[in-house]
Amino acid sequence: MNAVIAAVGIMLILSLSRVHVVIALIIGALTGGLVGGLGIEGTLKAFNGGLGGGATVALSYALLGAFAVAIAKSGLAHALADRALAMIDRQGHSNGGKVKWLLIGLMLVVAISSQNILPIHIAFIPLLVPPLLYVLTRLRIDRRLIACVITFGLITPYMFLPVGFGNIFLNEILLANVARAGVDVSAVNVTHAMAIPAAGMLAGLLLAVLFSYRKKRDYDLAKIEQVEQVSVSYNPLTLLVALGAIGAAFIIQLWLDSMIIGAMVGFLIFSLSGIVRWKDTDDLFTEGMKMMAMIGFIMIAASGFADVMKATGEVKSLVETSAQWIDHSKGIGALLMLLVGLLVTMGIGSSFSTVPILAAIFVPLCVQLGFDPIATVCIVGTAGALGDAGSPASDSTLGPTSGLNVDGQHHHIWDTVVPTFIHYNLPLLAFGWIAAMVL
């Protein structure tokens, strides 16, 4: 059996069986390494060597967690939640639907903006979502719907709009790697190439919003009150300082390209302003790190998992085996390349890391099958993006869970991973294949 299939299969089976994702990643990596002939020592060496690749992201999320707690202390997100609650209480159930769609629209706009206008990725989630959970529960909104909405906003902009993270993914990674593999992409409009796959993501979002999760779902309000409905006092000054700290963190991050420094500066502004008292900084920092610790450890474990997969050398073997099934058929070729991309990205958890691996092998295959440059770009880009939604190790699923599960009522696998896999990977697979055939 191919080591990649074995590793990803074991990891997914264990995750779906409610084994913690970190344990599932470690066992999956060990399985893949042993099947790939690395032996136990070689597997552990590759896994340990890859752990450092996730350390920067983990530290960034830990600092963002501390920053999020400081923002919560300012009352900014609670002010928004209080305004929403006031609208519900003032007009009762007749106004509930309006507030529901306002909140869903707000989260969608903020998620999309986090990829381009203010490229902070998942950093907004622990700032915005937990204070709104009480309102969401009062409205009986299914949290799986919110997970799908946020995940759509985290993924679709970077795979379609060449701005912010999209500029990195589409221009610096996708086009650059396709060109490096020998295809002239100078005349390719990357937005045009990825438009149909992006439409697949939109179809999945509409399916989730209009059909799958329309029914109301009940959660325990008492559990939310224990963790989120705490007494938070705020005034115009604290809200102004919070906005200033957020603005400073954004500017520093864009200037230095460092979430770590940006979050640290934002936290220091809260401390210096007096909103966070010096004697409380240690406790707040610890609380914030606890909130984001799961994401950090999963990202570290996923980095080790990815290095084991690379060390086996069987990603290339998987692609070459798939090529033998193609038999010069464009349709079968496109489908198998997309499926391989889905499998690899599900394991690695990052589209940005997957594209360079796939491009070197897929591009010559696309040329051999007679795909035009624009179709080649579409296939490689879609194959890389497939699996970002629905991967237990992707920050696009870990982020929503971190905000929706602060009270322990939102399961990462069954309430985020499975819904986003169904609503995004399946339509993306279908629309990506259609795009490859018609471009």
Side-chain angles (χ1 to χ4, degrees):
M1 178 182 288
N2 182 275
V4 177
I5 296 176
V8 175
I10 290 294
M11 184 267 289
L12 293 177
I13 290 172
L14 290 174
S15 296
L16 291 170
S17 301
R18 297 183 182 269
V19 174
H20 195 277
V21 179
V22 172
I23 302 299
L25 283 166
I26 294 172
I27 295 175
L30 289 173
T31 303
L34 293 174
V35 173
L38 295 179
I40 189 68
E41 291 186 8
T43 302
L44 291 175
K45 182 179 179 181
F47 186 83
N48 292 335
L51 295 180
T56 301
V57 176
L59 180 58
S60 298
Y61 289 164
L63 281 163
L64 286 169
F67 186 36
V69 173
I71 291 178
K73 274 283 185 180
S74 74
L76 182 61
H78 287 82
L80 176 62
D82 289 345
R83 177 64 64 88
L85 278 173
M87 292 177 64
I88 298 172
D89 293 337
R90 187 167 57 248
Q91 299 185 29
H93 294 294
S94 63
N95 203 42
K98 184 186 297 183
V99 176
K100 170 186 174 179
W101 293 113
L102 283 173
L103 290 176
I104 291 174
L106 171 67
M107 293 187 193
L108 179 61
V109 169
V110 173
I112 291 173
S113 300
S114 72
Q115 303 303 299
N116 39 59
I117 299 174
L118 292 169
I120 57 171
H121 198 39
I122 67 170
F124 76 92
I125 295 172
L127 315 181
L128 179 65
V129 176
L132 293 175
L133 280 183
Y134 187 83
V135 183
L136 296 175
T137 303
R138 280 280 302 271
L139 293 171
R140 302 173 66 196
I141 296 175
D142 195 325
R143 295 185 192 180
R144 292 173 295 180
L145 170 60
I146 303 301
C148 288
V149 168
I150 294 175
T151 298
F152 173 88
L154 293 175
I155 295 175
T156 310
Y158 80 67
M159 61 175 284
F160 176 61
L161 301 173
V163 182
F165 286 113
N167 179 58
I168 298 173
F169 179 77
L170 295 173
N171 293 322
E172 299 180 19
I173 295 179
L174 177 56
L175 288 183
N177 279 279
V178 172
R180 192 175 295 119
V183 170
D184 181 10
V185 295
S186 58
V188 173
N189 183 326
V190 71
T191 300
H192 181 205
M194 297 300 293
I196 296 178
M201 295 290 291
L202 180 60
L205 174 66
L206 294 175
L207 179 64
V209 172
L210 300 178
F211 297 100
S212 300
Y213 305 119
R214 288 187 61 185
K215 292 183 178 179
K216 298 183 183 298
R217 192 178 191 190
D218 293 316
Y219 298 89
D220 189 344
L221 273 172
K223 291 184 178 180
I224 302 172
E225 290 171 346
Q226 290 174 4
V227 297
E228 198 49 51
Q229 280 301 103
V230 294
S231 177
V232 177
S233 60
Y234 53 86
N235 55 55
L237 178 60
T238 62
L239 299 180
L240 186 62
V241 170
L243 291 173
I246 293 171
F250 290 160
I251 292 170
I252 293 295
Q253 180 186 315
L254 294 175
W255 177 35
L256 299 179
D257 193 25
S258 172
M259 284 195 298
I260 295 176
I261 303 300
M264 184 182 69
V265 168
F267 188 81
L268 287 175
I269 289 175
F270 279 113
S271 298
L272 293 172
S273 69
I275 292 178
V276 174
R277 294 179 296 180
W278 279 106
K279 67 177 183 179
D280 295 332
T281 54
D282 283 348
D283 291 338
L284 285 181
F285 206 87
T286 302
E287 184 181 345
M289 292 181 72
K290 285 180 181 177
M291 181 171 64
M292 299 298 281
M294 185 185 77
I295 291 183
F297 280 114
I298 292 175
M299 296 301 290
I300 290 173
S303 182
F305 182 97
D307 269 36
V308 172
M309 295 304 95
K310 294 173 186 176
T312 64
E314 296 209 9
V315 173
K316 181 178 180 179
S317 173
L318 177 63
V319 176
E320 290 174 346
T321 301
S322 301
Q324 296 175 8
W325 287 76
I326 293 173
D327 193 28
H328 303 291
S329 168
K330 277 189 172 184
I332 297 176
L335 180 60
L336 286 178
M337 283 188 277
L338 293 175
L339 287 172
V340 169
L342 171 62
L343 184 65
V344 173
T345 309
M346 286 282 287
I348 294 177
S350 169
S351 299
F352 290 67
S353 300
T354 302
V355 167
I357 298 172
L358 299 180
I361 310 165
F362 281 0
V363 172
L365 188 56
C366 287
V367 172
Q368 182 181 344
L369 290 172
F371 285 106
D372 292 336
I374 189 171
T376 300
V377 169
C378 173
I379 290 171
V380 175
T382 306
L386 267 165
D388 196 354
S391 168
S394 169
D395 49 9
S396 297
T397 58
L398 290 166
T401 297
S402 71
L404 294 167
N405 191 43
V406 294
D407 60 354
Q409 298 190 75
H410 183 88
H411 193 268
H412 177 56
I413 300 299
W414 290 104
D415 293 331
T416 296
V417 171
V418 173
T420 56
F421 181 93
I422 293 172
H423 289 89
Y424 296 127
N425 283 338
L426 299 183
L428 187 55
L429 184 65
F431 278 66
W433 184 84
I434 293 171
M437 294 295 99
V438 300
L439 289 175

